[in-house]
Amino acid sequence: MHQKTLAQLSALLQSKQVSATELARLYLDRISASNLNAFLHVDPELTLAQAAAADARLAAGNAGVLTGVPIAHKDIFVTRGLRSTAGSRMLGNYTSPFDATVVEKLAAAGMVTLGKLNCDEFAMGSANENSYFGAVKNPWDLSAVPGGSSGGSAAAVAARLTPAATGTDTGGSIRQPAAFCGITGIKPTYGSVSRYGMIAFASSLDQGGPMAQTAEDCGLLLNAMVGFDEKDSTSLERKPEDFNRLLNQSLQGLRIGVPKEFFGEGLADDVKQAIHAALEEYKKLGASIVEISLPKTELSIPVYYVIAPAEASSNLSRFDGVRYGHRAAEYTDLNDMYTASRTEGFGDEVKRRIMTGAYVLSHGYYDAYYLQAQKIRRLIAKDFAAAFTQCDVIMGPVAPSVAWDLGAKSDDPVANYLADIFTLSTSLAGLPGMSVPCGFGQGEKNSRRPVGLQLIGNYFEEARLLNIAHQYQQVTDWHLRSPE
Ligand code: GLN
């Protein structure tokens, strides 16, 4: 049962072959038996109460397609019933008085919350090793990282501890862990999914999205997650759409843009081979390959690591031990209280970003760093606009290598930043991006570690991306493999 996709579980619930309560118990048991450190907060009583309510809806005949299906939330989404820590000691004991819009929408659809998922502290990281609550293990190889920052989400779906999870992507945090754990994830166009109640990291980049086994499942989740929210000032007002409406459309004539900058020296051979094999599969489906160029790809790293920390330094100023967060037990005066609380509450990577951010925003450096970065950000978006005159979708690797070993890069922030090279530019441009399992590499240890194919679409082309991913998933089974 736990191998079933969300769509399959939904069908079984609708036809009363399984109950929401049975599913909730099944996954709760799997969660308590797992050793991945993927879940931070679980409350079986709360879960079973939601499942009972879902069963009542199913019995009364007013259930939707997601009613009774379990889900777990990245611990960056605030929840009333469960603690919300953002992977930080700063919020170690925090319980929100309200639910994030995403949580509320999925609950309104009747989904049953299994718990909250581990993540990098304030979503800063690429390996889930920056969590105050410890690293998450990759279910394919317990000595590998699951990717980050939504590492708990990806590991939990891959290990079938939940059929679906929410994630957030600021610079790749849905796509890269999805790739490292062999699952499917999509970051929609910036502004599609409400940021209300998503603990802020870099507000002009942060975007929530679904992570699940298949593209079809992601579409079902997007249908419930997307929508205008007056509580989020950057939320987009658009007509509702069915993101799965194009799933079965043929790919005959599809033009796939392959950026030459994504296949340079830094790309590992095993990843390159898997991506090329996937492109061959697409040719068989009727697509053609067009070589394109995204010349600013390399600059996306310095640009992102100026803009994201700048926004983070501002967003995280609210955690001062007074308005929010951990307060030090001992201090001499007010200033010392702030200093001691923030020193104790934040981890190293978060401090590094706050300092970098404050620096690039300070008088005299603003023009040299922050303003320059904003200008290049615009040029990066222009590169994509030019590329989309030549192709319908862009494809390449999600990351330059498969998952690395736990600890291998934990002392080297720059090595972590460099691994984000293929995901950052999509985020900077606000475009939708997706990760689709497309094979396995070896890693350094000769173990089987998943490879993710990245699909990047033009603005609001989510339905098309899901179609392109779904067609591939009809002729391959990488997305159905599981580590057990
Ligand atoms: N790895 C990137 C970072 O550390 C992206 C994180 C994210 O998307 N939340 O900032």
Side-chain angles (χ1 to χ4, degrees):
M1 183 64 74
H2 60 268
Q3 293 292 358
K4 301 242 182 281
T5 65
L6 184 159
Q8 289 167 338
L9 292 177
S10 167
L12 292 172
L13 285 161
Q14 304 291 329
S15 62
K16 311 277 194 301
Q17 285 170 271
V18 72
S19 71
T21 303
E22 283 165 339
L23 283 185
R25 284 190 201 283
L26 168 86
Y27 286 103
L28 286 172
D29 286 347
R30 293 183 61 76
I31 292 165
S32 68
S34 114
N35 57 352
L36 300 170
N37 199 26
F39 276 81
L40 294 180
H41 328 295
V42 182
D43 179 350
E45 236 174 81
L46 184 126
T47 302
L48 292 170
Q50 290 182 5
D55 279 328
R57 258 176 91 169
L58 284 154
N62 61 354
V65 63
L66 295 176
T67 306
V69 179
I71 189 161
H73 296 296
K74 183 177 183 179
D75 205 19
I76 207 99
F77 290 99
V78 300
T79 42
R80 240 179 318 153
L82 292 156
R83 270 188 297 150
S84 302
T85 65
S88 182
R89 181 181 184 197
M90 186 54 96
L91 290 174
N93 284 316
Y94 179 69
T95 304
S96 165
F98 65 95
D99 280 329
T101 297
V102 163
V103 171
E104 199 177 86
K105 278 176 168 282
L106 293 171
M111 294 198 90
V112 175
T113 309
L114 293 170
K116 303 292 288 290
L117 296 158
N118 204 344
C119 59
D120 280 305
E121 188 176 3
F122 290 103
M124 299 176 189
S126 312
N128 215 126
E129 291 180 300
N130 296 337
S131 168
Y132 174 67
F133 303 100
V136 175
K137 292 178 183 148
N138 188 320
W140 289 95
D141 178 344
L142 299 180
S143 62
V145 300
S149 63
S150 314
S153 306
V157 173
R160 310 297 189 241
L161 307 181
T162 177
T166 52
T168 61
D169 191 310
T170 302
S173 282
I174 287 176
R175 292 161 284 158
Q176 186 255 25
F180 280 14
C181 291
I183 65 158
T184 306
I186 182 166
K187 175 198 94 77
T189 304
Y190 178 80
S192 303
V193 167
S194 170
R195 290 184 298 108
Y196 185 70
M198 225 173 86
I199 296 170
F201 161 17
S203 307
S204 77
L205 295 153
D206 294 344
Q207 192 52 203
M211 303 170 78
Q213 287 183 45
T214 69
E216 181 185 16
D217 290 356
C218 285
L220 292 171
L221 291 161
L222 264 192
N223 282 345
M225 290 170 80
V226 167
F228 174 67
D229 183 3
E230 59 182 13
K231 299 194 204 100
D232 171 2
S233 60
T234 56
S235 173
L236 296 167
E237 241 179 309
R238 287 174 57 81
K239 272 203 320 275
E241 60 177 302
D242 173 8
F243 290 100
N244 278 351
R245 70 189 183 280
L246 304 177
L247 279 191
N248 297 318
Q249 189 171 293
S250 149
L251 300 188
Q252 203 63 48
L254 179 78
R255 296 169 305 162
I256 299 175
V258 175
K260 60 171 190 270
E261 293 79 4
F262 281 34
F263 291 84
E265 248 174 56
L267 183 64
D269 277 337
D270 51 358
V271 175
K272 194 187 289 178
Q273 274 168 26
I275 302 296
H276 279 306
L279 292 173
E280 286 308 312
E281 223 34 82
Y282 272 104
K283 283 197 212 158
K284 287 191 222 153
L285 291 168
S288 60
I289 309 289
V290 192
E291 189 182 289
I292 59 160
S293 175
L294 295 170
K296 306 280 183 307
T297 298
E298 236 173 26
L299 286 177
S300 66
I301 298 175
V303 167
Y304 174 88
Y305 282 98
V306 166
I307 292 173
E311 295 185 20
S313 74
S314 163
N315 273 326
L316 271 56
S317 64
R318 74 191 69 172
F319 302 107
D320 56 6
V322 178
R323 286 170 296 179
Y324 285 98
H326 168 83
R327 186 184 296 186
E330 279 167 42
Y331 47 85
T332 51
D333 57 17
L334 181 64
N335 262 329
D336 190 45
M337 184 187 81
Y338 288 145
T339 308
S341 300
R342 285 166 71 83
T343 302
E344 292 172 11
F346 290 135
D348 286 349
E349 183 59 26
V350 173
K351 287 178 187 151
R352 190 176 293 120
R353 301 216 188 176
I354 292 173
M355 288 191 282
T356 315
Y359 178 83
V360 300
L361 288 175
S362 59
H363 186 69
Y365 296 104
Y366 183 95
D367 287 356
Y369 296 105
Y370 184 71
L371 202 62
Q372 280 300 101
Q374 292 290 19
K375 288 179 180 167
I376 302 168
R377 181 180 191 175
R378 165 61 57 188
L379 296 177
I380 289 171
K382 273 187 159 174
D383 282 352
F384 278 111
F388 283 122
T389 62
Q390 292 168 269
C391 63
D392 308 305
V393 62
I394 295 172
M395 286 191 197
V398 171
S401 72
V402 294
W404 52 86
D405 287 350
L406 280 157
K409 299 186 186 183
S410 51
D411 295 331
D412 188 349
V414 175
N416 278 275
Y417 302 168
L418 292 175
D420 294 338
I421 178 143
F422 302 135
T423 50
L424 297 178
S425 45
T426 322
S427 297
L428 288 164
L431 292 165
M434 198 169 173
S435 177
V436 179
C438 73
F440 290 89
Q442 314 254 283
E444 293 129 46
K445 283 239 177 107
N446 252 1
S447 64
R448 264 158 58 89
R449 297 185 184 182
V451 177
L453 172 72
Q454 186 170 204
L455 274 52
I456 303 168
N458 213 338
Y459 300 107
F460 309 116
E461 292 272 286
E462 286 81 1
R464 187 74 168 127
L465 286 184
L466 292 167
N467 157 237
I468 294 166
H470 179 75
Q471 289 302 308
Y472 177 76
Q473 293 185 335
Q474 298 311 104
V475 296
T476 59
D477 70 352
W478 304 114
H479 59 293
L480 296 177
R481 312 247 183 132
S482 76
E484 290 160 308

